[in-house]
Amino acid sequence: MKTYAIADLHGRFDLLEMAIERIEASADGGKVVFLGDYVDRGPQSRQIIDRLMAGSQRAGWRWICLRGNHEDIMVTCCGTPRLIGSWWIPNGGARTLISYGAKVGDDAIDAAKNVPATHLEWMRALSRMHVDQHRVFVHAGVDPDKPLLLQDDEELGWKLYDDDDDRGHGERHVVHGHHQFEDGPILLAGRTDLDTFAWFTGRLVVGVFDDEKPGGPADLIVVQGSHIQDIRR
């Protein structure tokens, strides 16, 4: 069996649909791990959440959705509306609110009331990590010197690795997103960073991992959509 990892969709529902089509055409079943940051910046955050909540419609496939820092921002700001203007909007939240029906010029606090409670509850309940025999899947990263059960929640969602940090976690390879590289993915001995700035460039790279073999991806699936500027025209 294989595990497919998708990072940092950020409202690019078009890339999600293309990636799922390519993944499901490549095998009769497997596991897809979504590494968080489904919302903000791109145009269709709500559509992504609806799709992920519905889960795979194909037999033999298991979807695992992890929580990213932009889900943290959205859940926190919807629960504390006074933070919306200072924290969520500067981090791409306006595009998310528009996907939930807001119009340009609407009051952001009022617009946030359109977000269904079921969406916020789903995001709040998402796990930070998925661990299998050979790998740790996480949004941002892990502390290699701490046991997985003692990891700091903020670091799991917000960590930025130094460029020369190629450590995984013990014998496990770490698969993450969060730190964007337009010319990625970044493939190192102990970790793989799959955040390719896809929401802006339209280039999403899916990591394909062999469940029986340790280390980095056995293959990559490159999905190419439209540049964000072309979508907005």
Side-chain angles (χ1 to χ4, degrees):
M1 296 291 288
K2 290 184 170 58
T3 295
Y4 302 78
I6 299 176
D8 297 79
L9 287 162
H10 282 299
R12 290 299 300 264
F13 181 70
D14 58 330
L15 299 180
L16 170 62
E17 291 289 87
M18 285 189 283
I20 293 303
E21 183 178 359
R22 292 277 302 278
I23 289 168
E24 292 182 344
S26 72
D28 293 329
K31 179 173 63 179
V32 184
V33 181
F34 300 92
L35 301 176
D37 277 12
Y38 314 118
V39 300
D40 300 339
R41 296 179 174 155
Q44 292 183 298
S45 293
R46 176 174 188 151
Q47 290 84 345
I48 288 180
I49 300 302
D50 282 333
R51 183 73 173 91
L52 294 180
M53 288 178 67
S56 175
Q57 305 303 300
R58 294 277 299 273
W61 290 95
R62 177 189 178 199
W63 286 10
I64 297 171
C65 299
L66 303 180
R67 179 161 45 102
N69 63 305
H70 279 259
E71 285 73 58
D72 291 344
I73 294 171
M74 182 172 173
V75 168
T76 299
C77 289
C78 285
T80 310
R82 62 182 174 79
L83 297 176
I84 291 175
S86 60
W87 195 23
W88 193 14
I89 298 301
N91 281 288
R95 300 297 300 179
T96 300
L97 290 174
I98 289 171
S99 78
Y100 280 94
K103 303 293 189 295
V104 175
D106 284 356
D107 180 81
I109 291 177
D110 286 341
K113 297 174 184 177
N114 293 329
V115 178
T118 52
H119 283 203
L120 297 174
E121 291 163 3
W122 179 81
M123 284 185 261
R124 190 180 295 113
L126 295 175
S127 298
R128 280 293 197 200
M129 283 189 296
H130 172 69
V131 182
D132 63 20
Q133 181 180 359
H134 296 299
R135 278 166 282 273
V136 179
F137 298 85
V138 64
H139 176 63
V142 299
D143 185 335
D145 299 317
K146 288 183 180 179
L148 292 177
L149 291 176
L150 298 179
Q151 294 288 319
D152 181 77
D153 186 74
E154 184 169 345
E155 187 159 33
L156 297 174
W158 294 80
K159 178 183 177 74
L160 289 173
Y161 284 95
D162 292 335
D163 289 349
D164 61 351
D165 189 345
D166 65 354
R167 295 173 295 171
H169 189 276
E171 297 298 317
R172 287 188 171 93
H173 192 86
V174 174
V175 183
H176 67 94
H178 183 62
H179 196 170
Q180 62 192 25
F181 291 90
E182 187 172 342
D183 58 350
I186 305 301
L187 307 175
L188 301 172
R191 66 181 179 91
T192 295
D193 178 358
L194 290 170
D195 186 351
T196 57
F197 203 24
W199 74 268
F200 184 77
T201 65
R203 178 176 171 269
L204 179 72
V205 178
V206 180
V208 184
F209 300 88
D210 188 326
D211 291 351
E212 300 301 319
K213 297 179 181 179
D219 197 5
L220 299 169
I221 297 174
V222 180
V223 175
Q224 184 65 58
S226 299
H227 192 282
I228 194 69
Q229 299 300 337
D230 296 323
I231 290 176
R232 289 177 176 173
R233 286 174 185 158

